[in-house]
């Protein structure tokens, strides 16, 4: 089979081929680039392997480009990288790897193309394209990767147990590729993952998070999560999520499986947003349900305050998974903490002040919060589901109308702390905060209008009360 080379590639490939001939090193394109091009997926990373010195090849190639690009070399790893237009091209010498049990970092020595293909994780990642004059453009496919691409299969080239034991990150990569490409994992390969799941302990949290985030960004992330769970991997790094699994029954009353519910919400929200952190909010929105679960006689199962418990769990989970602890974590925490508010407002208690408070508390995150709330409606009961959706739409409309009228979102009360200090001639103090809060509350409650005059008058009254 001959790889169909596009015009823009022909130029680059030919120049690499010329450079390879000059330094007399057989050269190939390998791995993800070949896979993605055959699948018709966009790809920017071009990995070039030569039987010889990758750095020498990169230097010879760079000389052929005008202007000569900057070459970044990593002598220790024998690799060199350069950027050309949209492509990031990496050069490395073919190598052979051997592993020890306590590390995923192998001992490396020079090797043949075959050695280099043998060390790759899946058959679809072990394809190579020749850049050599005698067979330029032909595909070298020792493990039938092309057939696996066609049959949409993730299979290890060699014994799966050895493959996963050597580098356990491959277990996550396999599940990630199956999710991204919507492929199936070959049963023997999957059993290999199940058997080697315990080896995950030598993988750093950062690496796990990278793969997990890629799974979360898939079209239907639940599939990847189910595979992670069945493989015995999920519980190792995300026990809070697997704790939501299962249904408990008392006096014939059951609650829903909150693990499956969470995954359904994640799939729902993924149809509407590519914001990774909003997707994370959906994963964590009910995470406190395992600890806030109670059975109350005459009422049934309750999860009172689960949104507060869930929000409190967010920083710890982010920290352990080495996710960013900055604004992104705060954003997720805020959405999780507020996720119950819109839907718990029903026609009977949708007062203007309740809506105003929600606008104020959600602020900039209101739209995302509403996306989360809508995704959260997963009831199997048709009447219940319709009722929830009607209620959701009612609340949305109320929010829109009131926001238009009062402009509470991103709102700052019309009287500032500075104004209070200046008027009363006092320094920054607890009292200033109390007056400020009182003004804000009065506006949110609708007791006074959201305008300077009214707020200033109210400030005088409260000042007398708190300062005398
Ligand atoms: P993506 O770029 O979407 O992450 P990829 O397959 O290109 O997918 P890279 O990490 O860019 O992954 O690696 C490039 C190639 O290197 C892979 O296609 C594979 O052949 C090989 N490779 C990467 N990581 C491993 C690994 N842990 N074990 C074995 N081979 C690997
Ligand atoms: Mg890649």
């Amino acid at each position: 089979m001959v790889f169909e080379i596009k015009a823009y590639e022909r130029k680059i490939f030919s120049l690499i081929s010329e450079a390879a001939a000059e330094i007399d090193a057989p050269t190939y394109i390998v791995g993800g680039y070949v896979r993605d091009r055959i699948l018709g997926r966009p790809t920017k990373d071009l990995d070039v392997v030569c039987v010889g010195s990758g750095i020498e090849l990169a230097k010879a190639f760079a000389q052929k480009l005008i202007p000569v690009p900057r070459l970044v070399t990593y002598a220790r790893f024998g690799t060199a990288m350069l950027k050309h237009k949209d492509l990031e091209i990496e050069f490395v010498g073919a190598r052979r790897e051997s592993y020890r049990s306590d590390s995923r970092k192998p001992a490396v020595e020079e090797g043949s193309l075959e050695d280099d293909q043998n060390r790759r994780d899946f058959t679809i990642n072990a394809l190579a394209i020749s850049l050599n004059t005698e067979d330029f453009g032909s595909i070298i496919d020792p493990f039938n990767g092309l057939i696996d691409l066609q049959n949409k299969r993730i299979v290890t080239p060699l014994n799966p147990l050895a493959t996963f034991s050597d580098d356990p990150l491959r277990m996550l990569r396999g599940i990630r590729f199956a999710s991204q490409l919507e492929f199936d994992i070959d049963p023997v390969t999957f059993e290999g993952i199940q058997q080697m799941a315990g080896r995950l302990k030598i993988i750093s949290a950062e690496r796990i998070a990278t793969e997990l985030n890629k799974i979360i960004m898939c079209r239907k992330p639940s599939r990847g999560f189910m595979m992670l769970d069945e493989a015995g991997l999920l519980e190792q790094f995300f026990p809070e999520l697997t704790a939501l699994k299962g249904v408990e029954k008392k006096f014939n009353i059951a609650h829903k499986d909150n693990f499956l519910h969470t995954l359904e919400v994640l799939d729902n929200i993924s149809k509407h947003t590519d914001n990774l952190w909003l997707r994370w909010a959906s994963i964590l929105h009910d995470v406190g349900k395992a600890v806030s679960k109670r059975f109350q006689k005459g009422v049934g199962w309750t999860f009172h305050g689960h949104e507060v418990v869930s929000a409190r769990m967010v920083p710890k989970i982010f920290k352990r998974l080495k996710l960013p602890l900055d604004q992104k974590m705060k954003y997720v925490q805020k959405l999780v903490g507020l996720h119950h508010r819109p839907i718990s407002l029903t026609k009977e208690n949708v007062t203007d002040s309740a809506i105003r408070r929600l606008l104020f508390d959600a602020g900039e995150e209101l739209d995302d919060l509403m996306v989360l709330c809508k995704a959260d409606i997963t009831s199997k009961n048709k009447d219940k589901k319709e009722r929830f959706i009607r209620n959701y739409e009612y609340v949305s409309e109320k929010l829109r109308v009131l926001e238009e009228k009062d402009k509470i979102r991103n709102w700052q009360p019309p009287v500032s702390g500075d104004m209070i200090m200046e008027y009363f001639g006092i320094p920054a103090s607890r009292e200033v905060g109390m007056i400020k809060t009182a003004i804000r509350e009065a506006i949110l409650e609708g007791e006074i209008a959201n305008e300077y005059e009214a707020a200033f008058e109210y400030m005088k009254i409260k000042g007398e009360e708190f300062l005398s």
Side-chain angles (χ1 to χ4, degrees):
M1 180 165 186
V2 175
F3 184 83
E4 209 175 301
I5 299 171
K6 292 187 179 171
Y8 80 92
E9 288 172 326
R10 180 162 297 277
K11 190 179 144 214
I12 297 290
F13 288 8
S14 301
L15 293 178
I16 298 175
S17 180
E18 276 175 32
E22 277 167 27
I23 67 159
D24 199 18
T27 296
Y28 310 85
I29 313 250
V30 285
Y33 188 88
V34 186
R35 177 199 68 220
D36 287 340
R37 277 283 282 100
I38 293 173
L39 289 173
R41 296 175 87 233
T43 171
K44 293 195 165 123
D45 301 343
L46 180 63
D47 292 325
V48 180
V49 165
C50 73
V51 185
S53 160
I55 295 178
E56 286 308 306
L57 177 62
K59 283 182 182 159
F61 169 68
Q63 289 308 316
K64 296 179 183 296
L65 297 175
I66 308 166
V68 175
R70 200 168 73 90
L71 196 65
V72 186
T73 57
Y74 303 93
R76 214 155 68 86
F77 300 105
T79 65
M81 196 272 286
L82 61 80
K83 289 191 177 144
H84 185 263
K85 304 219 165 106
D86 272 354
L87 278 184
E88 211 175 280
I89 313 179
E90 194 173 306
F91 297 83
V92 64
R95 55 198 197 169
R96 187 193 166 90
E97 293 180 342
S98 49
Y99 287 84
R100 290 177 17 176
S101 64
D102 57 345
S103 162
R104 60 174 292 264
K105 296 202 179 64
V108 177
E109 52 191 344
E110 285 174 17
S112 62
L113 172 69
E114 197 187 337
D115 290 328
D116 204 279
Q117 284 176 300
N118 282 344
R119 73 180 177 86
R120 307 221 163 226
D121 50 2
F122 300 104
T123 60
I124 60 167
N125 288 347
L127 293 158
I129 299 172
S130 168
L131 296 186
N132 306 308
T133 354
E134 62 278 13
D135 57 352
F136 185 89
S138 64
I139 294 190
I140 301 149
D141 178 16
F143 306 111
N144 290 323
L146 287 173
I147 293 179
D148 291 329
L149 272 183
Q150 212 161 30
N151 293 340
K152 299 175 176 279
R153 286 207 163 264
I154 306 290
V155 194
T156 56
L158 305 174
N159 174 356
L161 295 181
T163 303
F164 297 131
S165 173
D166 283 350
D167 178 2
L169 182 69
R170 295 168 179 163
M171 302 188 286
L172 293 177
R173 282 174 53 92
I175 291 174
R176 188 256 291 184
F177 286 123
S179 320
Q180 272 182 335
L181 306 175
E182 307 192 353
F183 279 26
D184 288 319
I185 300 180
D186 167 77
V188 177
T189 296
F190 195 74
E191 271 170 37
I193 299 182
Q194 287 175 317
Q195 283 187 44
M196 285 296 146
R199 293 281 291 152
L200 191 71
K201 63 176 182 291
I202 67 165
I203 301 298
S204 73
E206 287 86 349
R207 297 244 176 208
I208 295 176
T210 304
E211 296 301 325
L212 185 61
N213 283 341
K214 286 185 182 176
I215 291 173
I216 294 171
M217 287 312 289
C218 289
R219 192 181 62 89
K220 195 167 180 263
S222 65
R223 200 165 159 260
F225 274 88
M226 292 303 276
M227 285 189 267
L228 287 174
D229 184 46
E230 277 169 42
L233 295 167
L234 192 60
E235 64 194 27
Q236 295 183 56
F237 61 85
F238 206 164
E240 299 87 347
L241 190 62
T242 53
L244 299 180
K245 270 165 56 173
V247 172
E248 204 175 329
K249 219 172 185 184
K250 260 191 191 168
F251 308 108
N252 236 3
I253 305 173
H255 62 74
K256 65 182 164 199
D257 182 316
N258 285 304
F259 177 68
L260 298 178
H261 164 72
T262 297
L263 295 185
E264 201 179 333
V265 179
L266 172 60
D267 280 351
N268 283 347
I269 212 163
S270 300
K271 291 182 197 130
H272 301 285
T273 182
D274 283 335
N275 174 350
L276 172 65
W277 306 109
L278 183 49
R279 290 187 181 198
W280 261 108
S282 76
I283 295 167
L284 296 175
H285 81 286
D286 274 350
V287 80
K289 274 193 171 173
V291 276
S292 52
K293 180 165 96 174
R294 302 278 179 276
F295 187 85
Q296 266 177 287
K297 279 218 173 100
V299 181
W301 293 101
T302 65
F303 300 91
H304 290 310
H306 74 273
E307 65 280 10
V308 181
V309 180
S310 303
R312 263 195 230 126
M313 290 166 73
V314 172
K316 201 178 122 208
I317 293 173
F318 264 54
K319 198 165 176 209
R320 198 190 59 240
L321 294 175
K322 294 278 194 291
L323 294 168
L325 295 173
D326 57 9
Q327 289 311 316
K328 298 183 184 88
M329 188 272 281
K330 291 266 177 236
Y331 163 89
V332 172
Q333 191 174 30
K334 180 170 172 182
L335 290 177
V336 170
L338 289 174
H339 86 267
H340 227 234
R341 286 270 292 279
I343 230 65
S344 64
L345 295 173
T346 58
K347 278 195 188 184
E348 292 72 52
N349 62 8
V350 181
T351 58
D352 279 5
S353 66
I355 293 278
R356 246 185 246 115
R357 271 183 191 286
L358 181 56
L359 279 166
F360 179 74
D361 291 341
E364 282 202 50
E365 269 62 77
L366 183 74
D367 293 336
D368 290 354
L369 178 65
M370 294 310 279
V371 173
L372 175 59
C373 289
K374 190 153 191 193
D376 195 12
I377 303 173
T378 65
S379 180
K380 299 279 174 285
N381 176 328
K382 203 163 155 269
D383 289 347
K384 220 168 156 185
K385 186 160 180 168
E386 279 172 8
R387 198 170 74 235
F388 282 144
I389 289 180
R390 269 200 309 278
N391 194 39
Y392 167 87
E393 277 160 4
Y394 181 75
V395 172
S396 295
E397 179 59 13
K398 278 283 205 180
L399 281 161
R400 199 187 58 73
V401 170
L402 204 73
E403 167 59 13
E404 209 159 84
K405 183 163 142 275
D406 287 3
K407 302 265 182 290
I408 292 290
R409 217 167 145 180
N410 302 324
W411 164 77
Q412 289 300 323
V415 171
S416 69
D418 283 345
M419 291 178 194
I420 298 168
M421 289 189 276
E422 194 186 314
Y423 181 82
F424 293 107
I426 53 171
S429 57
R430 202 166 68 91
E431 284 75 13
V432 176
M434 285 162 65
I435 297 170
K436 235 175 98 173
T437 307
I439 296 169
R440 188 191 74 208
E441 290 298 298
I443 293 174
L444 290 175
E445 283 300 318
E447 287 166 23
I448 62 169
N450 179 18
E451 57 181 37
Y452 175 76
E453 303 265 302
F456 204 77
E457 287 312 307
Y458 194 74
M459 173 196 78
K460 291 184 197 165
I461 298 168
K462 286 288 143 181
E464 289 215 349
E465 194 179 318
F466 294 144
L467 296 169
S468 57

